[in-house]
Amino acid sequence: MLQCNMNVSSLSLQNGLEDILGDLRFARRKGDLGRLALLAYCEVRRWARQAEAQELAQHSSALVNNFPHASRDDFLAGMDELIAELEHVRCIVASTPNNRFPEEVR
């Protein structure tokens, strides 16, 4: 049961972030480059814009738009950085009172 004092939009953003991270981890583990590119460009960028995290939105967009990458490993290293950045955001949000999105995420 949810606490009544939780902001619905913050909870929705937090759940969306959890879903995206799960999808990214799975695609990364499988080495599915197409799925990783789709998630980074469409899902992460959309989520970041909703969370008003413009730098994260630009990072995810640049990861896909600034191609061709030097190698497959170069692209995967960029995806690993993006996943780590999203995990950091998740940790920040989870540690804040009432699961609010602090300014440092934005």
Side-chain angles (χ1 to χ4, degrees):
M1 189 161 144
L2 297 176
Q3 294 178 356
C4 294
N5 63 352
M6 290 182 78
N7 185 341
V8 174
S9 62
S10 293
L11 182 61
S12 176
L13 284 171
Q14 186 176 4
N15 289 338
L17 179 57
E18 296 278 342
D19 289 344
I20 291 169
L21 273 168
D23 288 344
L24 282 168
R25 288 182 194 125
F26 181 77
R28 176 63 177 95
R29 193 169 45 250
K30 295 294 183 182
D32 188 345
L33 299 182
R35 181 79 175 141
L36 285 169
L38 175 73
L39 289 167
Y41 188 75
C42 296
E43 298 300 321
V44 174
R45 197 169 55 117
R46 179 189 55 79
W47 180 89
R49 286 180 176 165
Q50 288 176 342
E52 299 177 7
Q54 298 308 320
E55 286 184 29
L56 182 58
Q58 290 171 353
H59 180 213
S60 66
S61 180
L63 186 59
V64 176
N65 287 331
N66 295 347
F67 62 90
H69 292 276
S71 67
R72 173 187 175 98
D73 291 335
D74 184 45
F75 176 73
L76 290 174
M79 289 305 303
D80 290 340
E81 289 175 14
L82 182 63
I83 292 169
E85 190 174 349
L86 288 168
E87 288 174 345
H88 177 71
V89 168
R90 185 182 57 80
C91 289
I92 291 171
V93 171
S95 66
T96 58
N98 298 327
N99 294 336
R100 297 184 62 129
F101 275 73
E103 288 299 315
E104 62 191 272
V105 172
R106 297 176 183 184

